[in-house]
Amino acid sequence: MSSARLPRLERGTLSLQEFTPLLQEQGQLLYIDTLNWRQDFPHRPLVAAYLAYDAEALYINYRVSGEDLRTLSPGDGNYVHEDSCVEFFMQRERGTAYINFEFNAAGVCYAAHHASPSEAVLLSAEEFASIERWGDHQGQHGLERTGPAAWQLTVAIPWTTMGYAAGQLPREFYANLYKCGDKTAHPHFLSWAPIQEVEPAFHRPQFFGTFVLD
């Protein structure tokens, strides 16, 4: 089973943009490079994720280099998996319940609480607003380009938005990281932790890896 240790980095008063170089320098580097469905979807953009945390939030910086750039989702709460998309699915304890956080290159977020893969309750407007985002295409909606594209996105997901009590930090949690683009010119489905399914399926918490907080 995949596992990773996350370092604690104190953000202080830094903006998310200012914090990103520190995250890239000292965060835990993971590669989202598992082609679970290589035969049908061989495209593999290069995707690195840098992770760290502090008392307030979990931080993830995604760096992507591949083909295509698509940001057609109109806003938070709308699906983004058809766009140039990066994702973080997590659960506080092993079981069927989890939360999926999905972002396109423009920073649009789709996220929901799941009692199971078939049961979803969208985050509230306040929960969406609590998730900070910064990227080099932040707010650039309506893009649809083909050809080489490189982009990055940094997100700060509060522990409270993941269901923890204020001031409470977990010792560990369970999660997977994904990269997809269902309706880009080169559809692709990559994961950090391997998924043992015949067809693309990210909503599979049984394959989540373990994240331990240092």
Side-chain angles (χ1 to χ4, degrees):
M1 186 68 71
S2 302
S3 63
R5 300 190 70 90
L6 304 185
R8 180 164 182 153
L9 294 180
E10 297 302 333
R11 176 181 170 187
T13 60
L14 296 176
S15 70
L16 204 54
Q17 181 177 359
E18 293 169 333
F19 183 63
T20 292
L22 181 64
L23 185 55
Q24 294 170 348
E25 179 181 339
Q26 300 184 26
Q28 172 64 60
L29 170 60
L30 301 176
Y31 291 102
I32 305 174
D33 59 0
T34 304
L35 275 179
N36 303 284
W37 306 282
R38 182 188 301 268
Q39 183 172 350
D40 293 328
F41 300 99
H43 180 55
R44 181 164 63 183
L46 300 176
V47 189
Y50 301 85
L51 295 89
Y53 74 96
D54 63 14
E56 302 300 324
L58 174 73
Y59 301 95
I60 310 174
N61 170 254
Y62 295 92
R63 295 182 65 90
V64 180
S65 179
E67 298 289 331
D68 316 318
L69 184 62
R70 187 183 196 269
T71 62
L72 300 188
S73 180
D76 285 357
N78 295 279
Y79 289 129
V80 295
H81 63 276
E82 297 176 345
D83 287 348
S84 300
C85 180
V86 289
E87 303 183 351
F88 169 71
F89 286 28
M90 68 81 60
Q91 58 185 182
R92 297 184 297 278
E93 55 190 23
R94 290 292 187 186
T96 58
Y98 62 95
I99 309 174
N100 60 316
F101 297 92
E102 309 176 7
F103 305 89
N104 73 7
V108 175
C109 179
Y110 174 84
H113 299 272
H114 288 261
S116 70
S118 62
E119 303 172 83
V121 177
L122 203 65
L123 262 62
S124 68
E126 291 76 17
E127 288 175 313
F128 277 116
S130 75
I131 303 170
E132 288 185 77
R133 292 150 251 179
W134 171 82
D136 43 23
H137 294 291
Q138 183 73 29
Q140 296 180 20
H141 308 287
L143 301 177
E144 193 166 18
R145 307 172 185 166
T146 57
W151 53 278
Q152 68 173 320
L153 180 73
T154 302
V155 301
I157 306 174
W159 294 112
T160 52
T161 304
M162 288 183 274
Y164 296 98
Q168 177 187 8
L169 291 179
R171 185 180 66 85
E172 64 182 26
F173 60 89
Y174 309 98
N176 208 346
L177 300 162
Y178 308 114
K179 173 73 184 79
C180 65
D182 294 33
K183 288 194 175 180
T184 61
H186 299 80
H188 52 279
F189 303 90
L190 286 76
S191 67
W192 166 63
I195 300 169
Q196 298 174 17
E197 292 283 359
V198 175
E199 297 180 345
F202 286 169
H203 291 258
R204 296 295 183 269
Q206 63 267 37
F207 301 117
F208 287 3
T210 302
F211 288 78
V212 179
L213 274 58
D214 281 343

